[in-house]
Amino acid sequence: AQSVTQPDIHITVSEGASLELRCNYSYGATPYLFWYVQSPGQGLQLLLKYFSGDTLVQGIKGFEAEFKRSQSSFNLRKPSVHWSDAAEYFCAVAGFGNEKLTFGTGTRLTIIP
Amino acid sequence: DSGVTQTPKHLITATGQRVTLRCSPRSGDLSVYWYQQSLDQGLQFLIQYYNGEERAKGNILERFSAQQFPDLHSELNLSSLELGDSALYFCASSSQLAGVGEQYFGPGTRLTVT
């Protein structure tokens, strides 16, 4: 069975500081990996996705993520956070022929001035 | 705006009642997914439809059912409601069946069961 672990429930960073949100996955075959963001009272928005190829993927809003098969990880990074990045971030996994998304428990990001 | 619409935005009802949540996918998307987001269970996949046919089932209770109509909109029916069914219900749509496509989420329907 596929699963996703986001070990950090809540992270606080200063505006302008760098960010890394951790994600570990479990999947028996080649995973399709996603990061979604949910702002308060909103639906989920896709930030970026990894299907194959280059293990460093770029997304919207200046985010990037690196797929490391040996570590079963897909960590999300941003070099300099903005106050508008405050939100809940979800890592998700799916597979070929199995399109349902399995989500992690989410990481809530707080930005302090 | 993802292009996925969900109605109603909020729904308050009593235990034992039945409600219907509606979703209109993005134009051209044939796949519709339903997810439930609650504090204790997190985000969970409920069910997927593709072009009117049930494609995959997740942690969907027997009291819940869904369908996708010829115009591709979908409805999620929740019956014999319990307090624990209070949650945010999301619909998402996707354009790919072969392989894995990106999913676009609607704003959700917040269901409160009292």
Side-chain angles (χ1 to χ4, degrees):
Chain A
Q2 58 205 62
S3 67
V4 174
T5 302
Q6 292 181 249
D8 304 306
I9 295 173
H10 186 201
I11 283 184
T12 300
V13 300
S14 299
E15 190 167 15
S18 63
L19 171 71
E20 182 167 25
L21 302 183
R22 295 183 291 165
C23 170
N24 291 96
Y25 69 90
S26 174
Y27 193 74
T30 301
Y32 293 71
L33 295 160
F34 306 82
W35 275 98
Y36 282 83
V37 61
Q38 183 180 26
S39 298
Q42 303 291 318
L44 286 87
Q45 182 184 20
L46 179 65
L47 282 177
L48 47 76
K49 60 186 184 291
Y50 171 78
F51 286 172
S52 64
D54 193 349
T55 56
L56 185 63
V57 293
Q58 303 296 321
I60 62 171
K61 305 185 181 187
F63 286 93
E64 66 178 28
E66 185 170 14
F67 170 63
K68 292 186 178 179
R69 186 185 297 275
S70 61
Q71 298 177 20
S72 297
S73 69
F74 188 57
N75 294 349
L76 182 71
R77 300 195 294 246
K78 187 169 185 178
S80 176
V81 297
H82 186 261
W83 64 266
S84 60
D85 294 325
E88 184 114 25
Y89 291 79
F90 292 92
C91 182
V93 67
F96 182 83
N98 178 18
E99 300 97 49
K100 67 168 191 177
L101 289 167
T102 297
F103 288 91
T105 49
T107 297
R108 185 158 60 94
L109 176 64
T110 298
I111 309 294
I112 55 177
Chain B
D1 185 353
S2 67
V4 178
T5 60
Q6 290 187 248
T7 55
K9 200 165 186 175
H10 301 277
L11 201 46
I12 302 174
T13 189
T15 54
Q17 295 299 305
R18 172 189 170 95
V19 297
T20 297
L21 313 183
R22 183 188 167 102
C23 167
S24 292
R26 292 187 318 159
S27 177
D29 284 358
L30 300 181
S31 273
V32 168
Y33 309 77
W34 286 97
Y35 293 86
Q36 179 195 58
Q37 185 178 34
S38 62
L39 284 175
D40 53 344
Q41 300 286 334
L43 262 166
Q44 290 208 73
F45 167 74
L46 295 178
I47 197 164
Q48 177 198 358
Y49 276 81
Y50 176 78
N51 202 20
E53 306 253 333
E54 184 183 301
R55 166 84 174 157
K57 225 168 183 176
N59 298 323
I60 188 166
L61 299 170
E62 284 194 15
R63 302 183 284 107
F64 296 1
S65 64
Q67 54 184 327
Q68 187 179 26
F69 295 85
D71 67 352
L72 301 177
H73 91 272
S74 178
E75 291 181 357
L76 179 66
N77 300 295
L78 316 177
S79 61
S80 302
L81 285 167
E82 302 175 0
L83 295 177
D85 297 327
S86 295
L88 198 47
Y89 291 85
F90 286 110
C91 167
S93 74
S94 165
S95 63
Q96 287 180 273
L97 174 62
V100 179
E102 302 168 12
Q103 294 183 23
Y104 293 86
F105 283 75
T109 293
R110 182 169 294 282
L111 173 66
T112 303
V113 183
T114 61

